[in-house]
């Protein structure tokens, strides 16, 4: 039987042309190579040709001849020779956002592994092989469907019909008690795990040709992956294991019921997907027992609790030892078999659990050996903790030798779970915690308190300034001040950070303002989704600004020292970003959100007695329902099941409510030169309003001025006299899709402009309908929704 081979990645054994087409379109690397080939073939013609449809890709494989040369216009200010040569035998994939342009040049002085990409970046590729394909395998869904067909079973089996399946799904997801659903729902609880490998090729990204401005984003663009690949056999596929654990309360208002879930993901999945709870890219690994340990004396309970944590983690991670040493063949999402090495790379935790993981006390740094009284220094050059040395010190202390380093490094006498994990440096695995270290820790617990005490009038003055703050649609108005708020959320901290520097302006010493500005700048830089060496330098500069001005708090008698753990831990942000990628991929906010789905909902469905067992049964059934839904969506054409909704994908309320008098049909027009698309109704919603109406009813006070300026600048030969009686057609909404700002978000930004007609307050039979202010407003949808007035337009 004839088979097909992919000329891009070398995958073979594909039985049909349709299978080859599907493989190319669904594999990021092959799809990128196909797009490059199309760009090459189109570069010699003046007219842009449409790419071939997926149905004729197999024909292109047989007919296209790749000679490896073509021409492409390069930016005039680039330092790279505008022609480069790339060896097809060592060609690797690029970032999903970039397109590689390969041009042959006899005098090329750049390394063959450096390649230019359209958004002014260069790529350095791994010299060896990574993610080598070993063969082709049948996917889990396909194997299950074949088994059903052999038994003449419908896709709904073990259910008799679609209706019975829908009933079972509703019972499981509607909140019916477990006792009642037991009589209806019995599902096969066998679980299959498939690892989605998104980065089987390794490369570094640079923003310039000489490799002096490196870019950091996903884990596979950082140093850890690159360094670890060199320790493994040629062609190995790294599966960086990401762990997260956090103890959480289950009971409300009263009671002491707690759970200690441990979550797991892998770095091959992009961080945007890992952050989505409904993507299920972060799975529950298990629950650590939360015990009172009353069988031990009060003096020994804490130490025994630490050891219990490590023993449980050792049991959970035991399969990683052999798999990390010898590798294990897995079936990836693209259907190919690769030898994966699961290696613990990152551990997401708050500060107390970081110290628990590092086997140190909570008055020290879990990553380095800095002395507790030196944690407030800026340029302290402390030595990073070493796993082997730490284990030796703990072992010597257990044998009664009492080494001096045990006390100096503030260690705890426990047997660490990570001692046998291959290629694992647990101290480098500890990641930045944006939520607890920056927002709730440094800003709320320290900076707000210090800055408030530096103001004359202190809390009363700060509250009054918050209350007097002018209203703005993009900012939260704290109408009651901030001092009386006892329970803060991460969102409230972020809203407060936006205006806090303005609240302090003119009320305190300028050095206090500089110190606060340094912390706020650092916080915003730390949230970047894409960093480079230049932005990391700005991050460090912001932190330097704080340390240069922090002595003002000592001079004012507010602080005696700055030996604070959360203040020192920020020192390690730069090293962590360079090693594991940007900090937004390891934020504990994701862990806090997972508690709802994987701990608290299961507890609420139980009878609160022996709840951990009931929670595991409930979660197993939820996973079975979800997996069967996905299988039916794959196996049954046009079948759709509500298996969860991503909160980030919901339409914001402002967009829902704006202009809802009627649905307007829209068409999309793209501007290829500026990489901007916009959508607007085919016909204007309002015809004939005068300029006076636009000014009075919609608040566009400077409409005539800006329109005259636009006509004069764009059409200088046009002589048009505009008056207040001139009439126009009015659209209610314009949607602009702007290119993503990679440092802020990988998603395009939707800039929506609404025209809202002013209306007075009206008393109706259903109550009072509030007045609506006339305005033209913009709503930005992307990584975040905001609203901004258009300055008279």
């Amino acid at each position: 039987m004839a088979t097909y081979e992919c000329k891009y990645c070398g995958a073979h054994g594909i039985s049909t042309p349709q299978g080859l087409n599907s493989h190319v379109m669904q594999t990021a690397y092959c799809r990128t190579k196909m797009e490059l080939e199309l760009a090459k073939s189109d570069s010699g013609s003046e007219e842009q040709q449409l790419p071939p449809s997926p149905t004729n890709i197999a024909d292109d494989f047989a007919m296209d001849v790749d000679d490896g040369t073509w021409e492409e216009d390069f930016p005039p200010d680039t330092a790279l020779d505008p022609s480069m040569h790339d060896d097809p035998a060592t060609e690797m994939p690029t970032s999903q956002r970039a397109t590689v342009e390969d041009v042959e040049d006899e005098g090329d002085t750049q390394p063959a592994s450096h390649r230019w990409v359209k958004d002014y970046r260069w790529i350095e590729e791994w010299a060896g092989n990574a993610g080598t394909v070993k063969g082709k395998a049948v996917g889990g869904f396909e194997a299950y469907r074949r088994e059903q067909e052999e038994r003449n079973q419908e896709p709904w089996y073990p259910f008799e019909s679609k209706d019975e399946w829908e009933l079972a799904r509703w019972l499981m997801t509607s909140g019916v008690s477990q006792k009642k659903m037991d009589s209806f729902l019995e599902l096969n609880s066998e679980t299959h795990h498939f690892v989605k490998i998104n980065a089987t090729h390794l490369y570094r990204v640079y923003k310039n040709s000489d490799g002096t401005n490196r870019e950091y984003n996903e884990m596979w663009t950082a140093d850890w992956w690159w360094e670890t690949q060199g320790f493994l056999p040629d062609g190995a596929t790294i599966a960086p294991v990401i762990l997260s654990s956090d103890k959480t309360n289950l009971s409300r208002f009263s009671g002491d019921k707690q759970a200690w879930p441990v979550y797991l993901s892998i770095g091959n999945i992009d961080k945007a997907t890992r952050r989505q709870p409904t993507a299920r890219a972060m799975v529950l690994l298990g629950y650590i027992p939360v015990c009172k340990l009353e069988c031990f004396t009060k003096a020994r309970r804490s130490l025994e609790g630490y050891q219990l944590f490590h023993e449980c983690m050792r049991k959970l991670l035991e399969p990683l030892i052999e798999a990390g040493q010898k590798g294990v063949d897995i079936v990836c999402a693209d259907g190919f078999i690769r030898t994966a090495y699961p290696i613990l790379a990152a551990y997401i935790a708050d500060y107390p659990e970081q110290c628990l993981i590092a086997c140190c006390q909570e008055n020290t740094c879990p990553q380095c050996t800095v002395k507790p009284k030196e944690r407030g220094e800026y340029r302290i050059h402390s030595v990073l903790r070493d796993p082997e040395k730490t284990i030796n010190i703990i072992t010597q202390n257990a044998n009664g030798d009492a080494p001096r380093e045990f006390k100096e490094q503030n260690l705890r006498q426990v047997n660490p779970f990570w001692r046998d994990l291959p290629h694992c440096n647990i101290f480098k695995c500890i990641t930045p915690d944006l939520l607890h270290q920056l927002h709730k820790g440094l800003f709320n617990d320290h900076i707000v308190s210090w800055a408030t005490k530096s103001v004359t009038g202190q809390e009363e003055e700060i509250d009054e300034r918050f209350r007097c703050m002018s209203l703005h649609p993009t900012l939260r108005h704290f109408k009651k001040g901030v001092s009386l708020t006892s329970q803060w959320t991460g969102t409230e901290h972020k809203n407060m950070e936006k205006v806090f520097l303005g609240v302090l302006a003119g009320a305190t010493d300028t050095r206090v303002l500089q110190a606060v500005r340094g912390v706020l700048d650092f916080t915003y830089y730390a949230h970047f989704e894409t960093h480079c060496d230049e932005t990391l330098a700005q991050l460090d500069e912001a932190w330097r600004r704080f340390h240069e001005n922090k002595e003002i708090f000592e001079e004012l008698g507010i602080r005696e020292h700055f030996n604070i753990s959360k203040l020192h831990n920020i020192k390690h942000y730069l090293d962590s970003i360079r090693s594991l990628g940007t900090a937004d991929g390891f934020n504990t906010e994701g862990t806090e959100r997972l508690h709802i789905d994987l701990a608290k909902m299961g507890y609420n469905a139980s009878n609160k007695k022996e709840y951990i067992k009931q929670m595991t049964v409930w979660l197993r059934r939820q996973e079975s329902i979800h997996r069967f839904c996905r299988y039916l969506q794959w196996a049954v054409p046009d079948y759709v099941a509500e298996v969860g909704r991503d909160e980030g994908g919901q339409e914001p309320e402002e967009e829902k409510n704006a202009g809802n008098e009627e649905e307007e049909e829209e068409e999309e027009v793209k501007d290829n030169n500026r990489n901007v698309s916009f959508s607007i109704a085919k016909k204007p919603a309002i015809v004939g309003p005068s300029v006076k109406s636009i000014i009075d009813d919609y608040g566009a006070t400077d409409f005539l001025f800006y329109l005259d300026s636009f006509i004069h600048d764009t059409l200088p030969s046009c002589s048009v006299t505009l008056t207040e009686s001139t009439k126009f057609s009015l659209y209610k909404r314009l949607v602009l899709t702007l290119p993503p700002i990679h440092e802020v978000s990988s998603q395009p930004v939707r800039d929506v402009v609404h025209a809202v007609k002013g209306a007075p307050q009206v008393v109706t039979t259903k109550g009072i309908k509030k007045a609506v202010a006339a305005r033209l407003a913009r709503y930005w949808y992307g990584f975040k929704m905001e609203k901004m007035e258009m300055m008279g337009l």
Side-chain angles (χ1 to χ4, degrees):
M1 180 178 178
T3 59
Y4 294 83
E5 179 177 351
C6 177
K7 70 176 184 178
Y8 297 133
C9 68
H12 53 82
I14 303 175
S15 57
T16 63
Q18 291 80 8
L20 180 60
N21 297 338
S22 177
H23 162 76
V24 174
M25 298 306 296
Q26 296 180 15
T27 306
Y29 174 62
C30 301
R31 186 172 64 253
T32 301
K33 296 303 298 177
M34 182 192 70
E35 292 171 354
L36 296 178
E37 193 172 80
L38 295 174
K40 178 185 69 174
S41 63
D42 289 344
S43 61
S45 62
E46 296 182 359
E47 297 183 358
Q48 291 290 331
Q49 300 177 3
L50 294 176
S53 63
T55 57
N56 59 15
I57 296 175
D59 297 334
D60 294 341
F61 272 58
M63 299 176 61
D64 289 353
V65 179
D66 187 0
D67 59 5
T69 61
W70 66 94
E71 296 182 358
E72 177 65 55
D73 293 333
F74 279 69
D77 57 343
T78 182
L80 184 62
D81 193 325
S83 298
M84 296 180 63
H85 174 73
D86 183 38
D87 184 4
T90 61
E91 197 162 16
M92 295 293 183
T94 67
S95 168
Q96 295 180 359
R97 299 192 305 267
T99 303
V100 180
E101 306 293 341
D102 301 327
V103 181
E104 190 174 333
D105 181 36
E106 295 178 356
D108 184 18
T109 60
Q110 296 289 332
S113 59
H114 284 69
R115 301 157 67 187
W116 181 78
V117 296
K118 280 187 176 180
D119 53 357
Y120 299 92
R121 297 186 301 167
W122 281 258
I123 287 183
E124 177 186 2
E125 299 166 341
W126 176 255
N129 296 319
T132 301
V133 174
K134 298 184 66 176
K136 179 72 174 178
V138 176
F141 286 169
E142 186 175 353
Y144 183 61
R145 184 63 191 132
R146 289 181 181 179
E147 181 180 343
Q148 286 182 327
E149 291 175 347
E150 292 176 357
R151 299 176 180 178
N152 295 321
Q153 297 169 346
E154 294 294 327
W156 320 105
Y157 183 83
F159 302 95
E160 292 294 334
S161 64
K162 177 181 177 181
D163 292 337
E164 185 175 314
W165 150 247
E166 292 293 349
L167 173 62
R169 184 177 68 84
W170 179 84
L171 287 170
M172 190 63 232
T173 58
S174 62
V176 177
S177 66
Q178 297 235 15
K179 184 177 180 180
K180 292 182 178 180
M181 71 175 66
D182 282 342
S183 60
F184 289 93
L185 181 59
E186 290 185 10
L187 286 175
N188 181 6
S189 62
E190 181 181 1
T191 304
H192 304 273
H193 298 281
F194 296 92
V195 179
K196 182 179 179 181
I197 302 296
N198 284 351
T200 57
H201 301 271
L202 192 57
Y203 53 87
R204 290 171 173 166
V205 182
Y206 298 91
K207 286 185 173 291
N208 54 10
S209 60
D210 55 4
T212 57
N213 191 17
R214 173 116 174 252
E215 182 179 288
Y216 304 89
N217 190 306
E218 300 285 355
M219 285 191 69
W220 54 81
T221 65
D223 290 335
W224 179 90
W225 202 310
W226 191 279
E227 295 168 356
T228 307
Q229 190 74 48
F231 300 143
L232 302 178
D234 188 51
T237 299
I238 297 180
V241 175
I242 302 173
L243 294 178
S244 178
S245 62
D246 182 41
K247 188 184 297 184
T248 182
N249 291 322
L250 299 176
S251 52
R252 301 177 182 177
F253 306 114
S254 62
D256 58 351
K257 301 295 191 297
Q258 292 181 319
W260 201 338
V262 180
Y263 306 113
L264 179 144
S265 185
I266 56 173
N268 310 82
I269 304 174
D270 64 88
K271 56 189 179 183
T273 303
R274 296 200 306 267
R275 289 197 299 261
Q276 298 176 8
T278 54
R280 299 176 183 262
M282 203 87 174
V283 299
L284 177 66
L285 186 61
Y287 292 112
I288 296 175
V290 181
C291 306
K292 298 184 182 298
L293 301 176
E294 296 175 347
C295 56
F296 297 100
T297 62
K298 189 175 181 179
R300 286 190 56 83
R301 284 177 192 169
S302 60
L303 184 61
E304 295 299 333
Y306 303 147
Q307 188 58 57
L308 176 62
F309 169 83
H310 282 270
E311 291 298 332
C312 293
M313 291 297 298
R314 180 179 293 105
K315 190 66 176 178
L316 289 173
L317 302 181
E318 185 177 1
L320 295 184
I321 299 177
E322 183 177 357
Q325 293 173 344
K326 301 179 181 179
V328 57
D329 290 345
I330 62 171
V331 181
C332 301
D334 57 4
F336 293 104
I337 301 174
R338 296 180 176 89
T339 302
Y341 289 77
I343 299 172
L344 180 58
Y347 203 119
I348 304 171
D350 56 16
Y351 176 70
E353 289 207 22
Q354 289 178 359
C355 295
L356 177 60
I357 296 163
C359 304
C360 66
Q361 300 179 22
E362 293 185 15
N363 64 340
T364 188
C365 176
Q367 294 180 264
C368 69
T369 58
V370 62
K371 296 180 180 179
K373 294 185 178 181
E374 296 179 351
R375 289 174 293 175
E377 300 297 327
Y378 171 51
R379 289 300 186 188
I380 185 71
H381 295 286
S382 57
V383 179
L384 292 178
R385 296 181 184 270
D386 182 85
E388 294 185 1
K389 293 181 179 179
T390 301
I391 292 174
N392 290 336
I393 294 172
I394 293 175
T395 302
Q396 293 176 19
N397 190 73
N399 295 334
D401 296 337
R404 172 175 49 86
E405 294 84 358
F406 186 86
K407 186 174 181 180
E408 290 179 349
Q409 298 183 18
N410 295 309
L411 296 176
R412 286 169 171 161
Q413 187 56 57
V414 294
N415 183 19
F417 70 86
W418 38 264
R419 68 183 306 160
D420 297 323
L421 295 178
H423 310 294
C424 173
N425 185 334
I426 193 64
F427 306 114
K428 289 186 177 181
C429 292
I430 297 175
T431 60
D433 181 4
L434 299 176
L435 177 62
H436 296 96
Q437 289 177 349
L438 293 182
H439 298 299
K440 290 187 175 182
L442 182 59
F443 176 74
N444 185 66
D445 295 342
H446 301 296
I447 292 299
V448 173
S449 175
W450 301 346
T452 300
K453 292 178 181 178
S454 70
V455 175
T456 303
Q458 298 188 5
E459 291 184 352
E460 292 79 6
E461 177 66 18
I462 293 296
D463 286 342
E464 183 63 24
R465 284 173 170 257
F466 270 109
R467 287 193 291 265
C468 294
M469 186 180 70
S470 58
L471 299 178
H472 194 275
T474 65
L475 303 175
R476 174 176 175 176
H477 183 227
F478 295 87
K479 59 183 179 180
K480 295 183 179 180
V482 296
S483 63
L484 297 179
T485 304
S486 58
Q487 199 74 1
W488 288 87
T489 64
T491 301
E492 290 172 330
H493 290 140
K494 296 172 186 177
N495 290 329
M496 188 175 173
E497 289 165 0
K498 291 182 180 180
V499 299
F500 191 64
L501 196 61
V503 168
L504 295 175
T508 186
D509 192 285
T510 56
R511 293 169 63 190
V512 173
L513 295 178
Q514 288 294 326
V516 174
R517 178 194 168 187
V519 171
L520 294 177
D521 286 349
F522 184 93
T523 300
Y524 286 119
Y525 276 117
H527 274 274
F528 273 20
E529 294 190 10
T530 298
H531 264 294
C532 64
D533 290 331
E534 292 179 354
T535 59
L536 289 177
Q538 294 295 324
L539 181 77
D540 188 63
E541 171 64 21
W543 196 231
R544 181 191 63 79
R545 183 181 295 112
F546 166 77
H547 279 279
E548 286 183 347
N549 296 277
K550 67 181 180 182
E551 285 78 11
I552 184 62
F553 298 114
E554 293 179 319
E555 296 174 7
L556 295 175
I558 298 173
R559 291 293 304 176
E560 296 181 358
H561 62 82
F562 296 93
N563 299 322
I564 304 171
S565 296
K566 292 179 180 178
L567 192 64
H568 166 78
N569 292 343
I570 294 175
K571 172 184 181 296
H572 300 291
Y573 272 48
L574 272 74
D575 294 335
S576 178
I577 292 173
R578 287 192 169 103
S579 176
L580 298 173
T582 50
D584 63 295
F586 309 101
N587 197 350
T588 53
E589 285 187 76
T591 303
E592 300 283 353
R593 174 59 181 83
L594 289 174
H595 289 338
I596 299 175
D597 296 336
L598 302 180
K600 297 183 179 181
M601 290 182 65
Y603 175 77
N604 293 334
S606 71
N607 63 2
K608 314 304 186 290
K609 298 177 181 179
E610 296 185 353
Y611 53 88
I612 292 295
K613 294 181 179 180
Q614 297 180 52
M615 289 165 60
T616 55
V617 172
W618 185 85
L619 286 170
R620 189 180 302 116
R621 289 177 171 178
Q622 291 287 337
E623 291 175 356
S624 298
I625 287 286
H626 174 78
R627 178 173 175 78
F628 202 62
C629 283
R630 293 302 187 196
Y631 166 71
L632 291 177
Q633 290 177 348
W634 174 84
V636 180
D638 302 325
Y639 176 79
V640 177
E642 288 286 343
V643 293
R645 176 173 296 185
D646 184 8
E647 294 179 357
Q650 293 183 357
E651 185 181 19
E653 286 295 323
E654 288 80 355
E655 186 177 5
K656 291 179 181 179
N657 297 331
N660 60 356
E661 292 88 350
E662 58 181 285
E663 293 292 332
E664 299 178 7
E665 185 179 4
E666 296 182 351
E667 61 179 351
E668 185 176 277
V669 182
K670 291 187 177 180
D671 185 346
N672 293 323
N673 294 328
R674 299 172 59 185
N675 195 24
V676 175
S677 65
F678 64 89
S679 299
I680 195 170
K682 291 184 177 180
K683 297 180 181 180
I686 304 173
V687 179
S690 63
V691 171
K692 186 177 186 332
S693 175
I694 294 175
I695 294 174
D696 296 339
D697 297 339
Y698 294 90
T701 55
D702 299 324
F703 177 73
L704 273 181
F705 171 77
Y706 283 108
L707 183 58
D708 283 334
S709 301
F710 174 78
I711 295 176
H712 180 269
D713 294 339
T714 58
L715 300 171
S717 60
C718 179
S719 58
V720 177
T721 303
L722 301 175
T723 65
E724 289 189 349
S725 60
T726 305
K727 296 183 178 181
F728 292 88
S729 295
L730 186 64
Y731 294 84
K732 291 185 177 180
R733 187 177 70 165
L734 169 67
V735 181
L736 300 172
T737 303
L738 308 178
I741 303 173
H742 297 312
E743 286 77 10
V744 180
S745 174
S746 59
Q747 300 299 322
V749 179
R750 294 185 66 228
D751 191 354
V752 184
V753 183
H754 287 297
V756 181
K757 185 177 181 179
Q761 178 176 298
V762 178
V763 179
T764 66
T765 57
K766 297 182 179 180
I768 299 176
K769 186 176 181 180
K770 294 183 179 180
V772 178
R775 71 182 188 276
L776 288 181
R778 302 170 61 190
Y779 299 84
W780 295 351
Y781 306 99
F783 64 96
K784 188 176 181 181
M785 192 283 294
E786 293 183 355
K787 182 172 69 175
M788 186 177 71
E789 300 295 334
M790 293 186 61
M791 303 299 292
L793 276 181

